[in-house]
Amino acid sequence: MLMRAFARSFCLLLLGLAATLPVSMAQSVRSNPGIGERVMLPAAVTPDHYRIEITPDAGALTFKGSVEIDITVHQAVSHIVLNSADIVIDRAGLSEQTKVDAVNYDDKAQTATLALAQELKPGAYTLSLAYHGKIYQQASGLFALDYDTPKGKARALFTQFENSDARRFVPSWDEPARKATFELTATVPADQWAISNMPIAATDVLADNSKRVHFAVTPKMSSYLLFFGMGDFERVQRAVDGVDVGVVVKRGDTGSAAFALDAASRILPYYNAYFGTPYPLPKLDLIAAPGSSQFFGAMENWGAIFYFERALLIDPRISTERDKQNVYLTVAHEMAHQWFGDLVTMAWWDDLWLNEGFASWMENKVTDHFHPEWKIWLQALGEKQYAMQEDARDGTHPIITPINDVLQASGAFDSITYLKGAAVIRMLEAYLGEDAFRAGVRRYIHDYAYGNTVTDDLWHEMDRGSPRRITQIAHDFTLQAGVPMVSEVSARCLDGKNSVSIAQGHFAIDAESTTARAWHVPAIIAPIDGASVATVVSGAVPRDIQLAGCGAVVINAGQTGYFRSRYSNEGLAAITGGYSTLSPEDQLGVLNDRSALAQAGVEPMAALLELTKSFPVDAEPVVASALARLLRGLDRIYEGLPTQAAFRSYASGVLKPLFDRIGWNKRPNEGDNVALLRSDLIAALGDFGDPSVLAEARKRFERYLQSASSLDAGSRRAVLGVTAAHADRSTWEQLHRLAKSAATEIERRELYELLAAPESTSLVQQALELAISGEPPSTITPVMISTASTRHPKIAFDFAVAHWDTIAPHIEPATQARYVPSLLHDATDLSLIDKLDAFAERHIPPDARQDLRKAEATVRYLAEIRKDRLPEVDQWLKNQRG
Ligand SMILES: [Zn+2]
């Protein structure tokens, strides 16, 4: 789906609960009367320290546990309410004389209520519980991942608690603001590893071929950050700034761990310096697990970061330059959370963006520092583009958005929270200056370490001691949804000086989202060959800006602003004429804005197409990649129209000269991003049916079948991609054989995914049947159906709906509400909206329909482009020929 294609590193999760959550719950309180519906535990009792003992039975998928919780009673209570889901409490007791009379469960609220024999006075007590629970086979709570080894099937256990699944592991105050210290003990088979947030403090060898592993006490932290893992692991490590940094892999995979260990070892000192507060734990593990999730790649458990292995391991045989960049960014993202999220945590899920927006911004900052050649900020403009597209449509929401319960919280892990969040931080940093911004971050981390915050705490620290206040701007961009538009109303040249008149508006696509809004927009206005002017634009009344020189003017020069730029006809003509002289950032920004404005019908499609016509053949690879993806996206919307062939012929003609310049083969000393561009161009030209690209891919695939080493990793992925897209039955069977005999889990997943990528509808049907046949690993089933939905949204959607009972068990419970809507991300068929509504009536609870609204807005948007904009393209193409 698009989200996967555009977002480089969606860490995190969604998950939580299955079907329904009540709007109100008997044992809960409503805090924040202004919001009204927020469902939280009563505050009369809070936890201070947990002593947890667990004994998993991996084979039986169950575990036994016991916990002693040191609690503070703040006001007299006759009941204690805590979170508990899918857990049976076998025994409950309290220090002092009070007895627990009964345990009552509320399955919907995911709480257990302990009825006390007599009222408990304020004070400190210890609550003792013995319980047993379930080991899941999807990533929530304590879960199992099975994989193949040379010796047969193996099973490893991991935990995944964000946003609210620690309650499936231990009865607890499972809310981010209920921080406490945790002391975990696990009894595991003697030949298995046990791993947690903290180092092992002691191990007792037991008589029955098992061992009891005691972990050191954690710092004060939120329950969603607790971690436990068990399996046949190996670890590579390095001491960095006094911290034991390790990468933990399943036995045999240490050869793929070096890249991540190097990355982490360089990033840790950078963060220690940037945040001004050193990483506070004695060790930091990056743990690679086999398998995948449809919606997250990694999780920032404090000191024990979990990654699905594709997000962490680099296999020199098959990993591409793109994979390396993704791993680097994901490592950087999760490590940033060790401060933003783990050390300082949002008080409630409304402010999730404090975690995710910040980590998504920081991953770029540190990656750009160590790998400037990757031009990560330029690449991040693609993510901003994606966020702005979502933010202009129905279903968007403010960055800070009221979250009432944990089910709604899972819906908040989206492109607005991550990517708009990151883009807004980028804009604020640019406005304030790097040094002042960092000083604010340091004050914030220092003042709130081990505590919880709301967003205004961050703005307050930024404004303190800074000559420029940002709270007003920050509020405008975080408390209201939508995309501002800064328009050049007119430009007049007088005495060699340019007087540019600009005004602030609102760029929106759907009627629901077009209410005019006001922002204070920091903007940099720059003549193409003169000094720039930084200003704050607000309001619809045009304002004049004086610039030296009379050439073309770029609004949002450097592209750090989160807004669309619109030009007068003369201004646009000047920009188009001078396009090749713009910086790569401005080339990409101008291209992205034209694309959005033209597809929304605000500007003619010709304005976009003129840029493609005179596109510089030596453009920066990231900018050229964006063009290839843009044309590929339009081609998808053309699917099946009689005029598609003419468009493909034009698009091939635009891209072919770019590809001829770089060719099929990696050249010595070429930049890493050239490899990324090469694969984007091969994929696009393959889609457009370019005969020479198809023939060469065919030839290389045949050679690859003879000798796997005939292709380097980058061209291997590109060749396999084109081959799969254009596969006939016998080629598909060849790919299927490769999938079945793959040497590693990562390769197996990659190949099964490719089986669902063909253009041929009959082969895609066959792949869908294969996906649910039980042959591919369970976690790849939903991935294959998603892959099929890129080219064949209707087929994949109909299949998923028809086989929902079979597919649902392969998806984490709470992501099930998002999965079927996600299959429509490339759909243009309006009839699918009714079908999705009908599915939702049966399977998606009303308060978990954020993704449904977004998916339906996307379908309407793409359908409108197909109906209204593509004829403009057809006409323009005719004019070119005529
Ligand atoms: Zn994250």
Side-chain angles (χ1 to χ4, degrees):
M1 69 183 188
L2 279 176
M3 191 172 281
R4 277 195 305 141
F6 279 82
R8 285 188 317 234
S9 63
F10 256 48
C11 92
L12 267 301
L13 6 117
L14 342 140
L15 15 166
L17 341 179
T20 52
L21 242 215
V23 176
S24 65
M25 306 190 252
Q27 300 295 349
S28 60
V29 294
R30 297 176 171 204
S31 65
N32 277 27
I35 295 169
E37 300 282 345
R38 194 187 279 184
V39 175
M40 296 174 83
L41 293 171
V45 181
T46 55
D48 300 308
H49 181 70
Y50 294 84
R51 282 177 296 278
I52 306 167
E53 287 212 36
I54 63 147
T55 306
D57 184 342
L61 294 175
T62 59
F63 70 96
K64 279 192 293 193
S66 68
V67 61
E68 291 178 357
I69 313 174
D70 297 337
I71 55 173
T72 299
V73 175
H74 303 275
Q75 61 197 64
V77 289
S78 56
H79 294 81
I80 295 175
V81 187
L82 70 176
N83 291 117
S84 178
D86 257 1
I87 275 179
V88 177
I89 296 174
D90 303 310
R91 274 198 321 278
L94 256 180
S95 58
E96 306 301 310
Q97 301 306 313
T98 313
K99 271 185 27 201
V100 175
D101 273 351
V103 180
N104 296 306
Y105 301 96
D106 183 334
D107 290 346
K108 285 187 170 180
Q110 302 187 336
T111 55
T113 299
L114 313 178
L116 306 179
Q118 63 207 69
E119 199 178 66
L120 206 55
K121 302 268 179 297
Y125 302 88
T126 298
L127 175 65
S128 305
L129 305 171
Y131 61 96
H132 62 276
K134 251 195 223 175
I135 298 176
Y136 298 84
Q137 290 186 285
Q138 297 296 334
S140 69
L142 178 62
F143 67 99
L145 288 173
D146 296 345
Y147 58 95
D148 292 319
T149 75
K151 290 189 209 151
K153 286 269 179 208
R155 170 168 286 176
L157 303 183
F158 305 92
T159 58
Q160 174 54 44
F161 293 161
E162 195 179 19
N163 50 41
S164 304
D165 286 325
R167 61 190 64 174
R168 297 173 188 275
F169 183 72
V170 56
S172 51
W173 277 260
D174 190 17
E175 293 173 354
R178 297 293 172 227
K179 289 195 172 185
T181 48
F182 293 83
E183 192 176 347
L184 179 66
T185 299
T187 302
V188 304
D191 60 350
Q192 298 265 295
W193 272 56
I195 186 164
S196 184
N197 307 78
M198 295 296 284
I200 293 172
T203 303
D204 312 323
V205 177
L206 305 180
D208 60 346
N209 206 22
S210 66
K211 61 185 176 185
R212 190 183 294 125
V213 180
H214 305 266
F215 295 98
V217 181
T218 70
K220 203 174 157 198
M221 67 181 201
S222 304
S223 54
Y224 77 90
L225 296 170
L226 185 64
F227 177 81
F228 170 70
M230 178 188 112
D232 186 15
F233 301 144
E234 288 186 87
R235 180 174 192 262
V236 292
Q237 66 80 232
R238 198 176 292 168
V240 181
D241 274 11
V243 177
D244 176 10
V245 177
V247 175
V248 177
V249 296
K250 60 189 194 320
R251 183 164 302 284
D253 282 352
T254 51
S256 303
F259 184 83
L261 184 60
D262 279 343
S265 302
R266 295 179 80 190
I267 291 168
L268 184 65
Y270 177 94
Y271 282 169
N272 279 338
Y274 187 90
F275 290 111
T277 299
Y279 175 77
L281 276 61
K283 66 102 176 168
L284 173 60
D285 278 321
L286 287 64
I287 300 157
S292 58
S293 155
Q294 189 55 26
F295 288 97
F296 82 101
M299 172 64 207
E300 67 266 23
N301 316 297
W302 214 359
I305 305 172
F306 172 92
Y307 296 84
F308 283 111
E309 59 190 10
R310 196 152 60 164
L312 189 68
L313 302 185
I314 291 297
D315 178 346
R317 220 168 26 91
I318 63 166
S319 299
T320 63
E321 290 299 336
R322 165 81 62 202
D323 294 332
K324 282 183 196 166
Q325 295 188 12
N326 284 343
V327 165
Y328 203 95
L329 288 158
T330 310
V331 168
H333 179 106
E334 302 307 327
M335 285 178 67
H337 277 313
Q338 305 300 300
W339 286 262
F340 251 87
D342 296 2
L343 182 59
V344 181
T345 313
M346 76 265 138
W348 182 247
W349 303 106
D350 298 18
D351 284 308
L352 175 65
W353 91 286
L354 274 177
N355 280 11
E356 297 306 342
F358 195 92
S360 302
W361 166 79
M362 196 73 197
E363 70 181 62
N364 291 326
K365 191 169 181 70
V366 68
T367 301
D368 186 58
H369 178 80
F370 288 115
H371 286 286
E373 77 280 8
W374 289 348
K375 306 229 182 290
I376 285 299
W377 287 121
L378 192 57
Q379 296 198 47
L381 293 181
E383 295 173 351
K384 183 173 77 173
Q385 172 78 349
Y386 183 69
M388 284 168 115
Q389 282 170 341
E390 294 247 318
D391 201 16
R393 293 203 288 260
D394 186 27
T396 186
H397 58 83
I399 284 178
I400 301 170
T401 195
I403 299 292
N404 298 329
D405 57 44
V406 293
L407 187 60
Q408 283 189 357
S410 27
F413 291 85
D414 70 357
S415 58
I416 298 297
T417 301
Y418 283 72
L419 305 181
K420 181 179 180 180
V424 167
I425 290 176
R426 167 85 166 147
M427 175 173 72
L428 294 173
E429 187 204 25
Y431 177 72
L432 210 52
E434 267 188 297
D435 292 346
F437 189 85
R438 186 184 56 220
V441 169
R442 285 178 175 173
R443 285 193 292 271
Y444 172 82
I445 293 288
H446 175 268
D447 290 0
Y448 294 101
Y450 306 101
N452 294 88
T453 57
V454 295
T455 300
D456 269 350
D457 295 328
L458 177 61
W459 305 146
H460 177 74
E461 296 293 347
M462 289 288 166
D463 280 351
R464 199 150 64 88
S466 162
R468 276 182 151 178
R469 300 294 167 101
I470 60 167
T471 295
Q472 171 79 61
I473 296 168
H475 279 176
D476 288 355
F477 280 86
T478 55
L479 298 176
Q480 61 184 349
V483 182
M485 181 154 69
V486 175
S487 298
E488 176 206 40
V489 181
S490 64
R492 273 169 303 134
C493 193
L494 271 177
D495 302 331
K497 280 195 176 166
N498 204 352
S499 177
V500 180
S501 180
I502 56 174
Q504 173 256 311
H506 179 188
F507 175 73
I509 289 161
D510 294 324
E512 293 88 337
S513 57
T514 49
T515 323
R517 288 179 196 144
W519 287 264
H520 292 79
V521 184
I524 297 170
I525 318 285
I528 225 164
D529 49 5
S532 62
V533 170
T535 184
V536 175
V537 190
S538 191
V541 179
R543 194 157 66 79
D544 285 351
I545 309 257
Q546 308 299 325
L547 297 167
C550 281
V553 171
V554 178
I555 305 169
N556 201 7
Q559 306 296 317
T560 51
Y562 184 85
F563 59 89
R564 294 288 179 206
S565 305
R566 188 181 182 191
Y567 296 92
S568 63
N569 290 341
E570 300 74 28
L572 191 55
I575 288 272
T576 307
Y579 189 72
S580 61
T581 67
L582 300 178
S583 71
E585 285 76 15
D586 289 340
Q587 284 182 348
L588 188 47
V590 165
L591 182 71
N592 285 344
D593 283 342
R594 300 293 71 69
S595 168
L597 268 57
Q599 294 189 51
V602 177
E603 286 181 357
M605 286 299 282
L608 171 63
L609 294 163
E610 289 295 331
L611 283 182
T612 67
K613 195 169 95 180
S614 53
F615 200 80
V617 71
D618 59 349
E620 161 67 42
V622 175
V623 182
S625 278
L627 176 70
R629 289 170 181 212
L630 170 66
L631 294 172
R632 218 176 157 201
L634 281 172
D635 181 56
R636 289 271 157 81
I637 307 173
Y638 258 111
E639 192 57 46
L641 289 176
T643 47
Q644 187 175 23
F647 174 76
R648 287 185 162 182
S649 152
Y650 172 76
S652 284
V654 170
L655 297 184
K656 204 64 199 307
L658 277 68
F659 183 57
D660 289 343
R661 254 186 107 244
I662 60 172
W664 276 89
N665 296 320
K666 193 177 168 78
R667 294 176 191 175
N669 303 322
E670 78 177 12
D672 290 350
N673 286 347
V674 174
L676 272 57
L677 173 60
R678 179 177 295 118
S679 73
D680 281 329
L681 288 173
I682 291 173
L685 290 166
D687 274 8
F688 303 154
D690 183 279
S692 66
V693 166
L694 294 185
E696 184 64 26
R698 181 82 231 164
K699 213 166 80 191
R700 285 169 182 251
F701 179 65
E702 295 297 341
R703 225 187 302 152
Y704 176 74
L705 290 177
Q706 303 307 316
S707 157
S709 62
S710 67
L711 294 179
D712 65 67
S715 46
R716 173 187 166 280
R717 186 76 55 84
V719 164
L720 289 177
V722 173
T723 304
H726 293 270
D728 56 19
R729 186 157 300 274
S730 77
T731 309
W732 192 88
E733 292 297 348
Q734 282 166 324
L735 287 167
H736 190 187
R737 277 195 292 277
L738 289 177
K740 282 197 282 196
S741 63
T744 65
E745 288 290 307
I746 293 181
E747 199 174 350
R748 187 175 356 264
R749 273 152 216 288
E750 177 198 35
L751 286 159
Y752 274 110
E753 206 173 324
L754 283 171
L755 288 173
E759 284 185 357
S760 152
T761 52
S762 64
L763 290 177
V764 161
Q765 284 289 2
Q766 194 170 341
L768 290 170
E769 296 294 342
L770 177 66
I772 58 167
S773 68
E775 179 194 305
S778 168
T779 55
I780 201 79
T781 298
V783 180
M784 286 179 72
I785 301 169
S786 289
T787 301
S789 78
T790 319
R791 280 180 209 278
H792 305 282
K794 187 166 184 305
I795 292 174
F797 174 88
D798 287 342
F799 184 86
V801 169
H803 298 87
W804 182 240
D805 291 344
T806 311
I807 295 162
H810 297 281
I811 304 170
E812 296 94 340
T815 61
Q816 291 179 2
R818 321 182 70 174
Y819 181 73
V820 168
S822 78
L823 300 175
L824 296 187
H825 265 288
D826 291 304
T828 57
D829 181 346
L830 290 169
S831 72
L832 291 171
I833 291 179
D834 289 340
K835 287 188 176 183
L836 179 57
D837 285 338
F839 175 82
E841 277 308 309
R842 283 178 291 132
H843 299 292
I844 304 180
D847 55 356
R849 292 187 185 163
Q850 299 105 309
D851 283 52
L852 172 136
R853 284 184 68 198
K854 287 182 208 167
E856 296 187 350
T858 302
V859 177
R860 284 195 299 273
Y861 170 66
L862 295 178
E864 193 171 307
I865 295 173
R866 184 173 163 102
K867 181 166 84 59
D868 296 337
R869 303 278 96 77
L870 294 189
E872 279 186 55
V873 178
D874 298 338
Q875 186 57 47
W876 185 85
L877 291 173
K878 246 184 230 163
N879 295 345
Q880 303 304 303
R881 292 194 295 271

